[in-house]
Amino acid sequence: MALAVLALASACSTAGPSVSDARIGLPAGPNAALYLTVVGGAEADSLVGADTSAARSVELHETTMNDDGTMGMSEVAAVEVPAGETVRLEPGGFHLMLVDVEPLVVGDEVDVTLTWEHGGDMTVTAEVVPAAEVMGG
């Protein structure tokens, strides 16, 4: 019994990040942004990639301010998630860009496989919502 409790405690302490609130703003063109909330597990991890059959590719992006004051996006290699902390992929920050996405309508659900540096692959389902909903109204 003691070994079983020890094994369970060990398994819980190595739990990876958890993901919630995955949503895709209805695309107005060939690409769509996917936003979500990540809560870090017992150890730090990094989101290093993603894939879905609904798009040609998925890139990790960060919204940046250009020298001329305009907003832009740049691809990043990873999004760090500290142990036990919440990281939001949201407008104006990090997000996943679905490149050459298939036609989507509000209410569609899209499976996306997230790749973690230490935690391996995790599949989440993202709902397609009106663009205004992900942009805060």
Side-chain angles (χ1 to χ4, degrees), residues 23-25 40 44 48 57 59 63 72 78 84 87 97 100 111 118 123:
R23 65 224 180 279
I24 299 168
V48 295
S57 64
E59 299 174 352
T63 303
V87 175
M97 183 61 66
D100 292 334
D111 287 335
H118 303 292
T123 299

Side-chain angles (χ1 to χ4, degrees), residues 64-108:
T64 56
M65 180 68 70
N66 296 322
D67 291 339
D68 63 2
T70 62
M71 300 294 283
M73 284 184 288
S74 58
E75 191 169 0
V76 296
V79 176
E80 294 182 18
V81 180
E85 298 207 12
T86 299
V87 175
R88 289 181 176 81
L89 279 67
E90 59 190 356
F94 292 110
H95 57 279
L96 296 167
M97 183 61 66
L98 281 64
V99 179
D100 292 334
V101 69
E102 66 185 29
L104 298 171
V105 297
V106 170
D108 282 350

Side-chain angles (χ1 to χ4, degrees), residues 8-134:
L8 180 59
S10 175
C12 289
S13 70
T14 60
S18 62
V19 174
S20 64
D21 199 25
R23 65 224 180 279
I24 299 168
L26 183 66
N31 302 330
L34 187 154
Y35 305 103
L36 48 84
T37 300
V38 181
V39 177
E43 297 181 16
D45 207 342
S46 295
L47 180 61
V48 295
D51 188 46
T52 180
S53 62
R56 180 178 54 79
S57 64
V58 180
E59 299 174 352
L60 300 171
H61 280 190
E62 181 177 21
T63 303
T64 56
M65 180 68 70
N66 296 322
D67 291 339
D68 63 2
T70 62
M71 300 294 283
M73 284 184 288
S74 58
E75 191 169 0
V76 296
V79 176
E80 294 182 18
V81 180
E85 298 207 12
T86 299
V87 175
R88 289 181 176 81
L89 279 67
E90 59 190 356
F94 292 110
H95 57 279
L96 296 167
M97 183 61 66
L98 281 64
V99 179
D100 292 334
V101 69
E102 66 185 29
L104 298 171
V105 297
V106 170
D108 282 350
E109 293 185 339
V110 176
D111 287 335
V112 179
T113 301
L114 306 176
T115 301
W116 300 95
E117 182 176 20
H118 303 292
D121 290 344
M122 166 196 299
T123 299
V124 299
T125 301
E127 181 180 358
V128 178
V129 298
E133 189 172 314
V134 295

